[in-house]
Amino acid sequence: MRSDTDRAARLRDLMATEGDAVGENTRGFNAGRYESTARLDDYEALKAEARSIKEDAVERLPALIDRVTERVEANGGTVYLADDAADANRYIREVVADRDADRVAKSKSMTSEEIEVNEALEADGVDVVETDLGEWVLQLADEAPSHIVAPAIHKSREAVAELFAERFDPDDPPETAEELTAFARERLGELIEGADVGMTGANFIAADSGTLLLVTSEGNARKTVTATDTHVAVAGVEKVVPTVEEFAPFVELIGRSGTGQDVTSYISTLTPPVGSPVPTFDTGDAGDEPPLADGSAQDRSFHLVLIDNGRMAMREDDELRETLYCIRCSACSNACGNFQSVGGHAFGGETYSGGIATGWEAGIEGLDVAAEFNDLCTGCSRCVPACPVGIDIPWINTVVRDRVNRGTVSAGQTDWLFETLVPDEEPAGLDLGTRFVGNYSTFAKWGSRTAPVANRLANARPVRTVLERVTGIDRRRELPAFASESLVDWFETRGGAAVPAGAATREAVVYPDTATNYSDVERGKATIRALEALGIHVRVPDLPGSGRPPLSQGMVETARAAAADLSDGIEPHLDAGRDVVVIEPSDLAMFRREYGRLLDEDAHERLADASYEVMEYVFGLLENEAEPDRLRSPGPGDHPGVAYHPHCQARTVGVGEYATAVMERLGYDVRTSDTECCGMAGSFGYKTDYYELSMDVGEPIRDDFEGTERVVVASGTSCDEQIGALLDASPQHPVELVAPPK
């Protein structure tokens, strides 16, 4: 495994050399996805249909494999079910050898990358040519893909021009995109003409007919199939779906999700062996007109190589199974702030890249490979609504992180300090940095009780040096100050609710999350003032942390125990019909999303249905005839302009826009950041390995808001800290802006 120092250096290098190109392209794809999917009549229904098809297909996979084998063989082809990469390559090498082939032309296929078939064939002396432009560029450069759909996304036009000039030394070196494309088309056309075997992947395979769906941007799959008399299709077993009709939703979704195109340039449905005659590219004798083709379609042969390579075991794994629903669209990569900065050469394994890569690499290569990049998923969850089949990618990453943690602990190591102070659910020997962050709620409680001494010590240089060495918390980050009086204690000291229950329109529990209760108490007080101004009877009970910190570290059992404790503590309030108002968006996301994995279904649904983000709750009150003039509007001398950054998880659970709506209703002019994630992502931005990456991810916000005269507003603790560092400002929570003065 790569050391921490090597990892940080590798990330810095990639940000410097590839980050700009990757960032520009992925953000462009992401923006295109929003525009393209907005033109669909019912995007969410289409996604649900696609997911349902994949769920059903994976459930019935053994029977579908039998069915597609029967149909392909009835069509005149051959099916080979390969156990692993070595088995698949052995079969493909035999096919190529039987054909006495000197050259294989390939269209783009991640599965062929996975099994490293190029290397296997080249060891036999076979010339393998990638016909996808991006793959061919990387083949010439001897580099690995950095993106599932756009493999050379990290290459600038200038770099490609330099590569072509170096490799081919043309008389008139191509420079523009059009010239480079034309040059590649001519070269690849000649290479395809001389190929003996064509190899493709398959986006989907219909079990009822043996039909392949091939989606490409350049039409190269069609060329590799029709220009040769032997077609080898390589696909994972999960690519099989029941019928051709079920291709339809995926055709609508795959291009939109990956590159923002309404329809990918070339959509081919083939039922091989294809029916066209095999072409001949011989020129014939001088003056003769050579036939387009010689012979008939009967001369063609077809081999479908279906590959297991860990997939059937993944199918039996309740946590990794969803990975098999993946349609390889790359939307999770394009939506990810970290990927936008470093690309797949860091955020990826042996073959696959982006958020979904953890599931693929853990299932195919093993936990050791997934562990190399798993921490780059911060759980921000922006990939979840982007995924066209609704895979819970952050959960897969969390589960794999938990397994990595448990696989690296030393049974003989006892962490006596942690075992005494924070008796969590994790085994002894867990990495101390992981355990420290995972038990942040406990340390925050002690920090508040011992403030201001704890605050002085926490920011003392010698303490920060030790903290960085032991826990990996970067000394360049300013740590949040602990409040000497928690929100719960303040509320009790002031005498509890200011609005009697009998005079209130509703009753609400303000959830005292760890950050609000022990550090950012002022936003908690502002929440109470705002709700009471709108006639709400407020309670602030002493409740445990949500489990977000341990979950972020892959400490799943500790998070599960925290969820159970919180559910038990809040149950009496739910029994009494009280609303639960949540200030920290990441905690609301826990209640609405992750608790579905940590609690039984009834407990999760009950809490999720009763919980509201604070600005969502205020919006609902205003919509139901609460008086807006009871809240704060821009007054004389106030600047009405607001620069607002919604929290990433607030966007995912659909509450990010309520703050904008409330502020605009009160007369503020709101400018909202388009940046999906600020880059802090809870503990991620504090870690020495990732500090520079975190700041790089946040750069677009600095570009948006630096120098603004607007009031800077952010809805999450992480966003507040990150934007404060980026802009040298002190952002407010939206509720602090609209709450009545003290």
Side-chain angles (χ1 to χ4, degrees):
M1 184 178 293
R2 187 180 289 118
S3 71
D4 291 345
T5 303
D6 290 344
R7 181 183 293 114
R10 173 69 169 152
L11 293 174
R12 280 195 298 271
D13 179 64
L14 288 170
M15 282 187 285
T17 58
E18 299 180 3
D20 288 346
V22 173
E24 180 180 357
N25 286 296
T26 50
R27 282 191 281 270
F29 290 159
N30 205 42
R33 173 175 58 84
Y34 280 124
E35 293 173 6
S36 181
T37 57
R39 290 191 285 270
L40 290 171
D41 290 337
D42 199 335
Y43 176 44
E44 294 302 323
L46 199 62
K47 288 166 61 178
E49 181 185 0
R51 181 182 174 90
S52 177
I53 291 169
K54 289 295 291 183
E55 285 180 338
D56 172 64
V58 171
E59 179 67 29
R60 297 197 284 138
L61 193 52
L64 292 179
I65 292 171
D66 290 343
R67 177 62 172 156
V68 78
T69 300
E70 174 187 312
R71 289 310 310 157
V72 169
E73 291 179 349
N75 294 340
T78 302
V79 176
Y80 185 75
L81 183 59
D83 292 333
D84 53 26
D87 189 21
N89 286 334
R90 179 193 57 76
Y91 180 81
I92 295 167
R93 290 168 66 190
E94 289 177 358
V95 171
V96 173
D98 288 345
R99 176 66 180 81
D100 196 23
D102 294 319
R103 180 179 296 157
V104 172
K106 289 178 68 246
S107 70
K108 187 178 180 304
S109 162
M110 290 304 298
T111 310
S112 71
E113 293 273 357
E114 175 189 321
I115 65 174
E116 298 182 339
V117 70
N118 289 23
E119 292 81 353
L121 291 171
E122 287 165 354
D124 291 342
V126 178
D127 178 28
V128 182
V129 178
E130 295 285 355
T131 64
D132 174 85
L133 177 56
E135 291 282 4
W136 187 56
V137 166
L138 296 185
Q139 188 176 33
L140 295 174
D142 193 23
E143 294 181 14
S146 63
H147 189 272
I148 289 176
V149 170
I153 196 173
H154 59 289
K155 290 282 192 187
S156 66
R157 176 181 54 79
E158 291 79 9
V160 175
E162 183 178 339
L163 175 67
F164 283 3
E166 178 185 328
R167 292 300 302 269
F168 301 109
D169 192 24
D171 293 335
D172 186 15
E175 295 182 355
T176 67
E178 292 78 9
E179 290 170 347
L180 291 167
T181 302
F183 181 86
R185 182 186 297 115
E186 181 179 354
R187 291 276 174 164
L188 286 171
E190 295 169 355
L191 292 170
I192 292 171
E193 287 182 11
D196 305 296
V197 173
M199 186 181 298
T200 70
N203 294 93
F204 301 94
I205 306 167
D208 67 335
S209 62
T211 302
L212 312 183
L213 177 68
L214 296 169
V215 178
T216 66
S217 297
E218 301 157 21
N220 50 303
R222 296 177 183 178
K223 295 176 184 177
T224 60
V225 169
T226 57
T228 59
D229 62 9
T230 303
H231 174 198
V232 178
V234 179
V237 292
E238 83 286 356
K239 296 297 187 72
V240 182
V241 298
T243 68
V244 171
E245 287 77 13
E246 284 161 312
F247 290 169
F250 301 108
V251 170
E252 292 280 6
L253 289 167
I254 195 166
R256 287 181 164 92
S257 300
T259 57
Q261 297 170 277
D262 287 356
V263 178
T264 307
S265 301
Y266 294 89
I267 298 171
S268 305
T269 54
L270 310 172
T271 306
V274 295
S276 63
V278 180
T280 176
F281 297 101
D282 295 336
T283 58
D285 296 331
D288 291 341
E289 285 291 334
L292 175 64
D294 185 19
S296 72
Q298 299 303 314
D299 296 326
R300 292 186 176 278
S301 64
F302 172 63
H303 300 263
L304 174 60
V305 183
L306 289 175
I307 298 171
D308 180 351
N309 207 30
R311 288 165 170 80
M312 298 307 282
M314 292 167 68
R315 179 176 173 269
E316 300 301 319
D317 186 321
D318 289 342
E319 308 294 1
L320 293 185
R321 182 186 180 100
E322 269 194 277
T323 306
L324 299 177
Y325 303 164
C326 171
I327 64 171
R328 315 279 178 82
C329 69
S330 78
C332 59
S333 299
N334 301 334
C336 174
N338 283 345
F339 190 96
Q340 290 171 5
S341 284
V342 297
H345 287 155
F347 202 154
E350 295 293 325
T351 305
Y352 299 101
S353 59
I356 196 62
T358 288
W360 282 120
E361 297 290 338
I364 290 168
E365 301 290 346
L367 288 177
D368 56 336
V369 175
E372 289 284 340
F373 63 92
N374 173 255
D375 278 354
L376 287 173
C377 172
T378 64
C380 81
S381 75
R382 294 307 298 140
C383 55
V384 176
C387 177
V389 286
I391 301 172
D392 193 347
I393 296 170
W395 179 255
I396 292 172
N397 278 272
T398 299
V399 167
V400 170
R401 194 168 301 163
D402 181 75
R403 295 179 184 182
V404 170
N405 287 344
R406 293 175 183 274
T408 57
V409 297
S410 171
Q413 178 183 340
T414 300
D415 307 324
W416 62 268
L417 177 62
F418 284 95
E419 290 294 310
T420 301
L421 293 178
V422 286
D424 55 37
E425 304 298 318
E426 309 307 313
L430 187 67
D431 174 75
L432 294 183
T434 297
R435 180 159 261 148
F436 175 80
V437 173
N439 287 284
Y440 179 71
S441 294
T442 299
F443 292 111
K445 182 185 297 184
W446 284 103
S448 179
R449 289 176 179 176
T450 58
V453 174
N455 292 329
R456 287 200 298 270
L457 287 175
N459 286 291
R461 182 172 297 178
V463 174
R464 292 304 302 271
T465 300
V466 172
L467 192 65
E468 182 175 282
R469 185 176 300 124
V470 174
T471 68
I473 301 299
D474 197 281
R475 72 185 77 179
R476 289 167 288 186
R477 282 290 186 190
E478 183 177 347
L479 296 177
F482 296 116
S484 57
E485 184 180 40
S486 71
L487 179 67
V488 171
D489 290 342
W490 170 84
F491 188 76
E492 183 178 351
T493 299
R494 82 154 196 175
V499 177
T505 56
R506 298 184 73 89
E507 291 190 43
V509 170
V510 171
Y511 173 60
D513 64 86
T514 299
T516 303
N517 199 28
Y518 298 119
S519 294
D520 199 353
V521 175
E522 290 306 314
R523 71 178 185 178
K525 294 178 181 178
T527 296
I528 294 166
R529 293 198 307 274
L531 298 189
E532 290 181 339
L534 298 177
I536 305 301
H537 176 75
V538 175
R539 295 170 183 256
V540 188
D542 189 6
L543 293 168
S546 69
R548 171 63 70 184
L551 193 72
S552 74
Q553 304 306 298
M555 298 166 61
V556 174
E557 290 310 310
T558 299
R560 196 183 308 279
D565 288 345
L566 177 56
S567 180
D568 290 344
I570 211 162
E571 186 174 12
H573 299 285
L574 300 181
D575 290 342
R578 298 180 186 119
D579 304 319
V580 179
V581 177
V582 186
I583 303 169
E584 178 59 46
S586 62
D587 286 311
L588 181 73
M590 285 288 285
F591 296 170
R592 291 191 180 177
R593 277 181 31 80
E594 284 85 359
Y595 274 19
R597 305 276 187 174
L598 301 174
L599 298 175
D600 65 67
E601 184 176 355
D602 289 342
H604 165 238
E605 289 184 356
R606 194 171 187 221
L607 178 55
D609 290 345
S611 299
Y612 303 87
E613 189 266 342
V614 57
M615 298 305 286
E616 175 189 22
Y617 195 69
V618 169
F619 176 84
L621 294 174
L622 294 178
E623 287 291 289
N624 286 277
E625 300 184 350
E627 299 178 18
D629 59 5
R630 293 178 176 271
L631 299 175
R632 182 183 172 191
S633 299
D638 290 337
H639 195 298
V642 172
Y644 171 49
H645 176 71
H647 191 279
C648 50
Q649 287 163 335
R651 295 178 193 253
T652 297
V653 296
V655 299
E657 296 180 354
Y658 288 108
T660 300
V662 170
M663 289 186 287
E664 289 180 342
R665 185 163 183 170
L666 295 176
Y668 294 96
D669 175 28
V670 183
R671 177 181 162 195
T672 303
S673 165
D674 291 330
T675 301
E676 301 255 328
C677 182
C678 71
M680 188 68 178
S683 63
F684 180 83
Y686 282 109
K687 296 179 180 179
T688 300
D689 289 352
Y690 305 121
Y691 170 78
E692 281 123 328
L693 173 56
S694 170
M695 296 298 285
D696 190 73
V697 173
E699 276 298 314
I701 297 177
R702 195 203 312 258
D703 294 341
D704 279 349
F705 292 162
E706 190 171 38
T708 184
E709 295 182 357
R710 294 169 176 264
V711 178
V712 180
V713 172
S715 58
T717 302
S718 294
C719 308
D720 187 45
E721 294 166 359
Q722 176 79 322
I723 294 171
L726 288 166
L727 302 181
D728 192 23
S730 297
Q732 298 182 53
H733 189 283
V735 77
E736 293 181 87
L737 188 68
V738 305
K742 300 177 185 178

